[in-house]
Amino acid sequence: MISINLFLAIFGLCFSQGFAQSLWRRGGHAAIIANNWLYIDGGDVDYRVNNVSGRWDRENITSAIDLSKDWTNSTLSLVQTTRPSNADALLAESLWFDEKTNSVYCFGGLRSYATSRLAALRPPIESIWGFKLNDQGTAMWDQVIGPLTQTPFPNTIHRIARGMSVTDGNRAYYLGGFYSGETSPSSFYTNAKDRAPSPGLLVFDFNTLTFTNSSDGGYLAPQISGRTDRPAGAMIHMSMYGDDGILGILPSGRNRQDFAFNNITLYDKKTQKWYSQTTSGDIPEPRSYFCADGVAGDEKNTFEIFLHGGVVNNVFNAPAPNSDQVYILSIPLFRWFKANNTSIDSRAGHTCHIKNNQIIMIGGQNPIYKDQDDNEKSADPWLQGIGVFDIKSLRFKDSYQAKANAYETPDFIKQYYRIAGNQLPSWMSTAVKELFEGKSESSSNTTNSTTSSSITQSHRLSHGAVAGITVGCIAFVVIVAAGATFTTKHKSEKSKLFELSDRSPQMSSQMSPSESQCIELSALQRPNEMWTEHQDRTELPHTQRSRRFAEEPNSRASIALELPE
């Protein structure tokens, strides 16, 4: 017995020492950045010892990466916490970060395919678990909603899997996905193939820890009439647009026109209305199991969404065209750009996370293989299943820099904006236009004109400003004419002429602001490009940017705003 225990101890020590090199593949996990930590939870993994033996199994461990330090994927040491025995990690979960309480919540998921292959286990009782952030990166999970608490899991919803999810700091949003006997023990769908689509948009309030369900605006109508287990696309929160931010939906599907990337679905959180907007440029082919993340641009009122990887036809063994390339959707132009980055192996089922000017990519399977068994033939070329995409150089690398520069819109996209100038897309509706350009005076006469979030409108003078400057210019012309008349009338009086000559500079220096602005009017009316080198690049929180860009251009004409319109 002692020899056996000694052997197990030595084996465990060797395994732990070689952990960085032993991860063969990772997939189906959830991950999220919370402050300076990136947490990876659940999914299936394949570990190898000396690159031999091994098979897929569920990962009942939460791993954390310290983003305050530099690392490479060969030197990185993950902080790992084993989940409680009654809080099994699942496949295709969603992690939500509550910034106010520094808490991470876990919602949704289905039982691991590896587990179901080994034993026909039903999924755990429906509940929500969470943990508080700490300086060590450990995840001390506790049940937040469920039978172990005083707050039961609501009986109006089921545990859901493969939906798309995002948070805005106060709430979490979940759209799509399905529920079945794989996700919920209370589901009446006992056969794994019997999957029901999750209806509506599910909203979880961090303050009250309650769910609400609202209409999905028909977004899932094609899914309900066709396949009901369509895998998640991506949902991105853009706080800088609309009155309370909007959600952008990147579709996922089986080459169906309903889910092509030439049309983006939008959700206005304040009005709870759904819209669509067409896109242009290098539009990616339809795909599923891709990863995506978004970030506000460093200048102006722009936002970029990055997309990578995926498969076509919703099945593995069919990599999406150019799936090794990174695509970028720039908003409000709604134009796709292909990064033409250095080529790497394609992957699908991975996650993307933007931190400063870098995208950290976690896990994924090789899309040329059909399933997990085939993927056992292909080791992940990224050690520990972690790679980094440098947004500035458009190159993949194996290292992360903690003090990398803040995000900057790629230069080739900035150049396009300079050429395009004020050109914006053909809006599909006035409501969509107002979400990104702000409301016009005719449609919102109760709103101060300086609150517009428009890139083009924010550079135009208001009617009041133009009227004020016009009045000032007329007054200036009258003064000059009067001065000329006075000079002609008293031309013969030499002493008075010299007196007038001496006072002219004083009169010019005392010119009213409205009069002096008449000289600058032509410059103010020149078309402004969306990108200009002389613009102030001071970084502001995303929620303040649209207001800032609306206020600054009109500040020079503020004196004229006091005049009657």
Side-chain angles (χ1 to χ4, degrees):
M1 179 65 69
I2 296 178
S3 60
I4 294 177
N5 290 338
L6 180 60
F7 169 78
L8 293 175
I10 294 175
F11 178 82
L13 178 62
C14 294
F15 183 83
S16 63
Q17 292 297 320
F19 181 83
Q21 303 296 329
S22 63
L23 180 66
W24 194 256
R25 282 284 179 180
R26 179 193 298 275
H29 58 282
I32 192 172
I33 290 180
N35 293 342
N36 277 324
W37 292 93
L38 194 162
Y39 293 94
I40 309 167
D41 189 64
D44 289 344
V45 292
D46 183 0
Y47 287 118
R48 300 293 177 93
V49 178
N50 295 326
N51 293 332
V52 295
S53 72
R55 63 182 305 168
W56 285 94
D57 200 356
R58 61 175 181 157
E59 177 82 322
N60 206 37
I61 291 175
T62 304
S63 301
I65 300 174
D66 188 350
L67 300 181
S68 67
K69 300 177 181 178
D70 295 347
W71 45 261
T72 68
N73 56 14
S74 61
T75 63
L76 174 64
S77 178
L78 300 176
V79 177
Q80 296 190 315
T81 308
T82 301
R83 272 188 168 234
S85 58
N86 59 345
D88 288 346
L90 300 174
L91 195 70
E93 302 170 328
S94 289
L95 296 180
W96 300 334
F97 177 42
D98 180 358
E99 301 174 8
K100 293 182 180 179
T101 63
N102 270 344
S103 302
V104 172
Y105 301 108
C106 178
F107 172 76
L110 70 158
R111 65 189 182 195
S112 165
Y113 291 138
T115 300
S116 59
R117 181 176 60 185
L118 297 174
L121 299 177
R122 292 183 65 81
I125 295 176
E126 290 166 321
S127 57
I128 290 182
W129 291 72
F131 64 86
K132 296 278 188 179
L133 269 61
N134 57 42
D135 295 335
Q136 293 75 42
T138 53
M140 310 308 293
W141 290 94
D142 259 323
Q143 193 174 107
V144 178
I145 295 177
L148 301 182
T149 72
Q150 296 181 351
T151 306
F153 193 86
N155 56 15
T156 55
I157 65 173
H158 296 281
R159 180 185 287 118
I160 312 168
R162 298 206 185 284
M164 60 190 85
S165 183
V166 73
T167 63
D168 65 3
N170 297 311
R171 296 169 295 271
Y173 301 85
Y174 194 102
L175 179 67
F178 67 89
Y179 60 94
S180 70
E182 300 168 288
T183 68
S184 170
S186 63
S187 171
F188 57 89
Y189 290 95
T190 57
N191 192 320
K193 295 182 180 180
D194 293 332
R195 294 174 170 177
S198 173
L201 175 68
L202 201 62
V203 182
F204 182 71
D205 190 301
F206 291 150
N207 294 321
T208 62
L209 300 181
T210 56
F211 285 95
T212 56
N213 199 324
S214 60
S215 168
D216 61 20
Y219 173 76
L220 295 178
Q223 174 188 359
I224 294 174
S225 62
R227 283 183 63 96
T228 59
D229 61 345
R230 182 175 58 84
M235 184 157 50
I236 308 294
H237 179 244
M238 296 176 279
S239 62
M240 59 204 304
Y241 302 123
D243 293 331
D244 190 32
I246 65 175
L247 305 180
I249 312 298
L250 292 184
S252 169
R254 302 168 59 86
N255 274 334
R256 301 174 58 151
Q257 189 63 28
D258 300 315
F259 300 121
F261 290 111
N262 60 3
N263 193 298
I264 303 300
T265 301
L266 305 168
Y267 177 72
D268 185 346
K269 295 193 302 176
K270 183 175 182 179
T271 63
Q272 298 184 15
K273 293 182 178 180
W274 295 84
Y275 305 99
S276 293
Q277 177 58 41
T278 55
T279 66
S280 61
D282 294 323
I283 301 175
E285 293 290 328
R287 61 193 66 196
S288 57
Y289 294 105
F290 58 85
C291 78
D293 199 3
V295 60
D298 60 320
E299 296 185 48
K300 295 292 185 181
N301 200 25
T302 62
F303 193 95
E304 273 81 52
I305 298 175
F306 291 78
L307 176 149
H308 178 260
V311 297
V312 297
N313 294 326
N314 195 26
V315 294
F316 284 78
N317 81 356
N322 298 310
S323 61
D324 62 333
Q325 295 292 304
V326 173
Y327 286 86
I328 309 169
L329 177 64
S330 187
I331 298 172
L333 199 60
F334 281 92
R335 182 177 181 85
W336 284 100
F337 297 86
K338 188 165 70 171
N340 292 320
N341 51 271
T342 54
S343 179
I344 63 165
D345 291 337
S346 300
R347 65 184 55 231
H350 52 316
T351 58
C352 295
H353 314 274
I354 296 177
K355 182 69 171 179
N356 296 329
N357 235 3
Q358 303 160 105
I359 305 178
I360 305 171
M361 297 188 183
I362 307 294
Q365 300 181 37
N366 190 331
I368 70 172
Y369 294 112
K370 185 176 181 180
D371 53 28
Q372 289 180 337
D373 291 333
D374 286 339
N375 258 276
E376 293 179 0
K377 306 172 184 176
S378 170
D380 196 325
W382 295 345
L383 296 179
Q384 304 199 68
I386 300 173
V388 179
F389 181 74
D390 189 296
I391 296 175
K392 186 68 175 177
S393 65
L394 303 179
R395 291 179 176 273
F396 282 94
K397 57 183 185 179
D398 59 7
S399 61
Y400 165 83
Q401 293 178 307
K403 295 183 179 180
N405 292 334
Y407 171 77
E408 297 180 11
T409 299
D411 291 337
F412 70 94
I413 297 181
K414 289 184 179 181
Q415 181 63 27
Y416 187 91
Y417 273 101
R418 292 190 184 100
I419 297 173
N422 289 336
Q423 180 183 359
L424 287 175
S426 297
W427 301 111
M428 293 188 66
S429 69
T430 301
V432 174
K433 181 177 185 290
E434 290 179 347
L435 283 176
F436 296 94
E437 292 194 54
K439 294 183 179 180
S440 62
E441 290 185 31
S442 59
S443 63
S444 180
N445 53 19
T446 60
T447 303
N448 191 302
S449 61
T450 60
T451 62
S452 170
S453 62
S454 168
I455 292 181
T456 54
Q457 296 287 349
S458 64
H459 290 280
R460 298 175 185 171
L461 295 174
S462 67
H463 297 306
V466 174
I469 294 175
T470 302
V471 172
C473 291
I474 295 174
F476 174 66
V477 173
V478 172
I479 292 174
V480 172
T485 302
F486 178 81
T487 303
T488 303
K489 182 177 179 181
H490 299 280
K491 187 175 182 180
S492 61
E493 300 181 19
K494 184 176 182 180
S495 61
K496 292 183 179 180
L497 177 61
F498 285 123
E499 182 180 355
L500 178 62
S501 176
D502 293 338
R503 292 179 181 176
S504 295
Q506 182 179 1
M507 181 181 69
S508 176
S509 65
Q510 293 176 349
M511 190 182 300
S512 70
S514 296
E515 296 161 3
S516 63
Q517 286 174 349
C518 177
I519 301 173
E520 298 181 350
L521 184 59
S522 60
L524 287 171
Q525 289 180 326
R526 287 199 301 267
N528 287 277
E529 289 189 352
M530 298 172 73
W531 297 95
T532 52
E533 295 296 334
H534 65 272
Q535 289 288 344
D536 177 20
R537 300 190 180 189
T538 304
E539 193 73 10
L540 289 175
H542 302 166
T543 54
Q544 299 177 8
R545 292 185 179 180
S546 60
R547 181 171 297 176
R548 169 197 171 201
F549 298 131
E551 290 174 347
E552 285 187 350
N554 287 340
S555 61
R556 298 172 66 183
S558 60
I559 188 70
L561 295 176
E562 300 176 2
L563 298 176
E565 298 188 12

